[in-house]
Amino acid sequence: MKHYLGIDLGGTNIAAGVVTADGLLIHKASVPTLSERGFQSVVSDIVSLCRQIITDSGVDSASVAAIGVGSSGICDSENGIIIYSSNLQFRDADIRAELQREFTLPVYLANDADCAALGENIAGAAKGSDFSVTITLGTGVGGGIILGKKIISGAYGGGGELGHTVICFDGEPCSCGRKGCWEVYASATALIRLAKTAAISMPQSRLAENFNQITTAKAVFDAADWGDEAAQMVIWKYLEYVACGLTNIANMLQPETIALGGGICAQGDRILTPITEMVAAQIYGGELKTKIVIAELGNDAGIIGAAMLAV
């Protein structure tokens, strides 16, 4: 049986795992990235981590057929080069050449959000869909488009940045330099911002009483559970923003499945049901055919998807 190494290279952690050809994660481990040390130091840690997980997994090293890397930032998948990543502080980093020097295996590279989308398509919530989109609602809004088990990333490798489609012209400023991006309204960061704004305008609310504790999306949902009307209003407005962007995606692409990931999605049907209803009410043609689901693989999606680049 062939096995594949999947590497999820993020700004905070490097996670890696041994994965079967059908997307089963056998064993995984992680180490801090510490990218400020420079590219070569990070590569050295990736090499050590890969050797460790092969040993710890118990698979025959000769069965490992290839390595897949999912990296934050803009990736040149054809040549295996991380063109630029602000999270990693890398520019024109030839990760394929470095890893092939150590392992003499084929090495594949793609953006980490795209890898997560591929993982969900092959082994997660979008399994069985020929055409799917995965959206991650986290610090920002990440996106990945999968068609026929292949990542759709455009002619220049940077496509699929769905969080940077504008839903409010001349709206709130985004870190990308534009105004009104979906990310500014649909990320977990956005929910926290909306909650703090509501707390200031509604000083008698539970949000206002616990203003300094509004540091996570969960804190806003907790306030709503306590019956706080301000928190409930904020969550509803937030879900409307999420649904607006999802409607755009469904109208533009008409995928079979949209999988929603990120910490907020731990709320499950509490957010999925109203979001689906909102999208259905707005969809072009009046019939929502795209299935909206909660992603299943969590942090493993990037590892599995990276490994599947080679299959």
Side-chain angles (χ1 to χ4, degrees), residues 93-267:
D94 193 345
I95 194 162
R96 174 180 292 167
E98 294 294 331
L99 293 180
Q100 283 182 331
R101 186 175 296 117
E102 295 289 338
F103 291 101
T104 62
L105 290 171
V107 176
Y108 299 83
L109 171 70
N111 171 267
D112 54 356
D114 288 336
C115 287
L118 184 59
E120 289 291 344
N121 180 271
I122 292 176
K127 185 177 181 179
S129 298
D130 187 61
F131 187 14
S132 67
V133 174
T134 295
I135 299 295
T136 304
L137 307 174
T139 304
V141 173
I145 304 168
I146 307 299
L147 177 60
K149 292 184 169 49
K150 300 295 182 183
I151 295 168
I152 305 301
S153 57
Y156 309 107
E161 288 289 349
L162 299 171
H164 296 290
T165 54
V166 170
I167 66 166
C168 182
F169 179 73
D170 206 27
E172 295 288 337
C174 180
S175 60
C176 76
R178 302 184 78 190
K179 291 183 178 181
C181 286
W182 187 32
E183 175 171 295
V184 184
Y185 297 91
S187 62
T189 308
L191 177 58
I192 294 167
R193 186 190 74 247
L194 289 169
K196 288 186 174 181
T197 300
I200 292 170
S201 63
M202 303 175 72
Q204 303 305 315
S205 66
R206 187 102 185 202
L207 286 177
E209 292 175 11
N210 296 278
F211 186 85
N212 292 333
Q213 280 72 54
I214 308 174
T215 57
T216 65
K218 184 177 182 300
V220 186
F221 282 96
D222 286 345
D225 287 339
W226 294 326
D228 186 63
E229 291 185 7
Q232 292 167 356
M233 290 170 55
V234 164
I235 290 170
W236 192 257
K237 174 57 68 176
Y238 170 77
L239 295 181
E240 288 182 324
Y241 286 134
V242 174
C244 177
L246 293 178
T247 305
N248 290 343
I249 292 169
N251 281 340
M252 285 187 291
L253 301 176
Q254 290 197 329
E256 294 166 73
T257 305
I258 298 175
L260 301 179
I264 285 175
C265 295
Q267 300 295 326

Side-chain angles (χ1 to χ4, degrees), residues 55-89:
T55 299
D56 293 347
S57 70
V59 303
D60 183 353
S61 60
S63 73
V64 178
I67 299 171
V69 180
S71 172
S72 65
I74 302 170
C75 297
D76 177 353
S77 296
E78 183 176 351
N79 295 300
I81 296 172
I82 302 170
I83 298 172
Y84 176 68
S85 172
S86 57
N87 289 342
L88 294 168
Q89 304 171 46

